[in-house]
C-alpha cells in the first residue's frame, strides 16, 4: 500500500487521540510514515516521535500554524522543525495567548446568549496543549445546544456567527520565515478550501512562493479531482513540493487516517522529496 499521512491532530490541539494512539492506529493500518501537525503547538511531537521509534513507525515532526495573508485565513504546515528551537517556542507563545484570550471572549458572548459554558469545563475537555473552537463546539453539543459539531460552527463559532471572535495571528510570510529558521519546510494546508472555484489560489500561491513557500498539500480528503489537478499544475509551475494528509481529528470531526479507510493515500515517495527540501532549507542561511 505504501501510504503515508502527513496531517493529523492529537489531544495536544483539537484531536481526540493521544500521539501514541495515532501511531498505533497508523501502524495497524500499515502506514509507512506519519506526521503530527497540531494547531499552533509542537507539545505532542516528542511523545509522537518516541512512540514512532518504539513501534517502528517513521515519523516527521510537524505543526499547523494559523495565519493571515492579505485578509485570507491560511493554515501553514511546518515539517522537519527542531522541536527544541527556542525562537520558535517564543514566537508561538503570542499565538497561544491569542487563543486563550479569544476563547474567553467566546465564552462571554455565549453567556450573553444564556449559554453557560465555564472555562473549567473547556479546560477539562481540552486536557493539554492548545484549546480551539472544536472544544467549545463539543460542549455545545454535549449540553444539547446544538445537534452536530457542524451546527456549533454554523450557528455560533464560525466566521461572523453569533459567538465569533477574531484572534491574533501572524502573516503567512512571518510564519514561513519562522518555520525555516527552525529548520523546517513550509507547506500550504488544504489549499482548495479557501476557494473551491480555484480562482483565488494562483495569486496567493505565487505571492507565498515569493515569500519562500516550499509546498502545497495536494492529497487531502475534501479536494476535488479538478482542484488537485490545478494544484499539481501550480506546484510544477512554482517548483513546490506536493504533500498530503488526512487532517484526522479523531471523533471531533468526520474522517479517517490515510490508509485506515480514509479517502486518500499519499505515496511514500513524498518522504524522500520532503527530506531533500528540508536539507535545502538547512543549507541556506536564515535571516530572522
Ligand atoms: P480554531 O483553531 O480554534 O480557530 O478552530 C478551527 C478548527 O475548527 C479547524 O482547524 C477545524 O479543525 C475545526 N472546524 C472548523 N469548522 C468546523 C466545522 N464546521 N465542524 C467541525 N470542526 C470544524
Ligand atoms: Zn483542527
Ligand atoms: Fe487546517
Ligand atoms: Fe488540520
Amino acid at each position: 500500500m505504501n501510504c503515508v499521512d502527513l496531517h493529523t491532530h492529537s489531544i495536544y490541539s483539537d484531536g481526540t487521540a493521544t500521539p501514541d494512539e495515532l501511531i498505533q492506529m497508523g501502524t495497524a493500518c500499515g502506514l509507512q510514515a506519519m506526521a503530527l501537525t497540531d494547531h499552533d503547538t509542537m507539545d505532542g511531537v516528542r511523545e509522537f516521535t518516541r512512540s514512532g521509534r518504539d513501534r517502528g513507525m517513521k515519523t516527521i515532526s510537524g505543526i499547523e500554524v494559523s495565519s493571515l495573508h492579505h485578509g485570507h485565513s491560511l493554515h501553514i504546515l511546518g515539517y522537519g522543525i527542531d522541536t527544541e528551537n527556542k525562537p520558535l517556542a517564543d514566537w508561538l507563545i503570542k499565538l497561544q495567548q491569542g487563543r486563550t484570550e479569544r476563547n474567553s471572549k467566546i465564552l462571554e458572548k455565549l453567556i450573553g446568549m444564556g449559554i453557560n459554558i465555564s472555562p473549567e469545563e473547556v479546560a477539562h475537555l481540552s486536557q493539554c496543549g492548545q484549546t480551539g473552537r472544536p472544544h467549545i463546539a463539543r460542549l455545545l453539543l454535549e449540553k444539547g445546544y446544538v445537534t452536530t459539531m457542524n451546527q456549533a460552527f454554523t450557528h455560533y463559532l464560525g466566521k461572523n456567527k453569533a459567538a465569533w471572535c477574531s484572534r491574533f495571528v501572524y502573516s503567512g510570510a512571518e510564519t514561513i520565515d519562522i518555520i525555516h529558521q527552525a529548520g523546517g519546510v513550509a507547506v500550504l494546508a488544504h489549499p482548495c478550501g479557501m476557494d473551491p472555484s480555484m480562482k483565488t489560489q494562483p495569486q496567493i500561491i505565487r505571492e507565498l512562493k515569493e515569500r519562500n513557500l516550499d509546498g502545497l498539500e495536494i492529497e487531502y480528503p475534501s479536494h476535488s479531482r479538478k482542484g488537485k489537478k490545478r494544484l499539481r499544475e501550480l506546484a510544477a509551475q512554482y517548483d513546490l513540493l506536493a504533500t498530503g494528509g488526512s487532517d484526522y481529528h479523531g471523533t471531533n470531526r468526520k474522517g479517517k487516517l490515510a490508509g485506515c479507510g480514509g479517502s486518500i493515500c499519499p505515496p511514500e515517495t513524498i518522504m524522500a522529496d520532503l527530506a531533500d527540501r528540508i536539507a535545502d532549507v538547512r543549507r541556506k542561511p536564515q535571516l530572522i
Side-chain angles (χ1 to χ4, degrees), residues 68-74 188 190-209 213 216 227 230-231 234 237-238:
L68 203 60
H69 175 77
H70 301 328
H72 295 277
S73 173
L74 304 179
L188 181 61
H190 39 72
C192 296
M194 72 176 89
D195 176 8
S197 79
M198 296 296 291
K199 290 206 173 77
T200 320
Q201 285 86 343
Q203 186 181 342
I204 290 182
I205 290 168
R206 178 175 54 75
E207 288 167 356
L208 290 172
K209 171 68 188 184
L213 182 73
L216 300 177
R230 185 73 187 104
L231 288 178
L234 290 163
Q237 182 178 350
Y238 294 115

Side-chain angles (χ1 to χ4, degrees), residues 7-9 14 37 39 64 75 77 189-190 220 247-249 253:
H7 191 156
T8 66
H9 294 275
D14 54 6
T37 52
H39 297 286
E64 181 175 21
H75 285 179
L77 297 157
H190 39 72
Y220 187 79
D247 209 358
Y248 180 69
H249 278 73
R253 206 206 276 188

Side-chain angles (χ1 to χ4, degrees), residues 15-37:
T16 55
T18 64
D20 184 48
E21 284 165 349
L22 287 173
I23 294 285
Q24 287 188 55
M25 282 186 257
T27 305
C29 296
L31 280 180
Q32 302 296 309
M34 298 176 79
L36 178 67
T37 52

Side-chain angles (χ1 to χ4, degrees), residues 247-274:
D247 209 358
Y248 180 69
H249 278 73
T251 57
N252 270 345
R253 206 206 276 188
K254 243 199 209 143
K256 295 191 165 124
L257 275 182
C260 292
S263 57
I264 55 146
C265 195
E268 194 188 351
T269 49
I270 283 178
M271 296 304 290
D273 297 341
L274 253 180

Side-chain angles (χ1 to χ4, degrees), residues 95-254:
L95 206 47
Q96 295 165 351
Q97 280 170 348
R99 278 187 173 275
T100 309
E101 285 160 21
R102 187 264 318 253
N103 293 339
S104 306
K105 284 192 221 156
I106 292 176
L107 296 190
E108 271 172 41
K109 278 200 177 174
L110 288 173
I111 286 168
M113 285 177 258
I115 296 176
N116 245 308
I117 292 176
S118 70
E120 292 74 23
E121 286 172 305
V122 178
H124 181 71
L125 183 68
S126 174
Q127 302 179 57
C128 58
Q130 293 307 300
T131 305
R133 285 176 289 165
H135 296 105
I136 301 174
R138 186 115 197 177
L139 287 168
L140 285 167
L141 180 65
E142 283 174 11
K143 291 181 167 218
Y145 292 109
V146 292
T147 52
T148 62
M149 289 283 281
N150 191 44
Q151 201 179 68
F153 281 87
T154 56
H155 286 195
Y156 298 106
L157 304 171
K159 185 141 194 202
N160 300 326
K161 303 298 178 192
W164 163 257
C165 295
S166 62
R167 67 180 167 101
F168 168 80
V169 290
Y170 295 99
S171 72
E174 288 171 308
T175 304
I176 294 168
D177 284 347
I178 195 79
I179 289 170
H180 285 164
Q181 180 280 140
V185 299
V187 173
L188 181 61
H190 39 72
C192 296
M194 72 176 89
D195 176 8
S197 79
M198 296 296 291
K199 290 206 173 77
T200 320
Q201 285 86 343
Q203 186 181 342
I204 290 182
I205 290 168
R206 178 175 54 75
E207 288 167 356
L208 290 172
K209 171 68 188 184
E210 282 166 10
R211 306 307 300 258
N212 303 315
L213 182 73
D214 301 287
L216 300 177
E217 185 179 50
I218 298 183
E219 297 299 327
Y220 187 79
S222 64
H223 283 179
S224 67
R225 198 184 289 213
K226 227 171 133 184
K228 287 196 270 195
K229 184 167 172 281
R230 185 73 187 104
L231 288 178
R232 274 188 216 107
E233 289 164 3
L234 290 163
Q237 182 178 350
Y238 294 115
D239 186 29
L240 291 163
L241 200 61
T243 74
S246 66
D247 209 358
Y248 180 69
H249 278 73
T251 57
N252 270 345
R253 206 206 276 188
K254 243 199 209 143

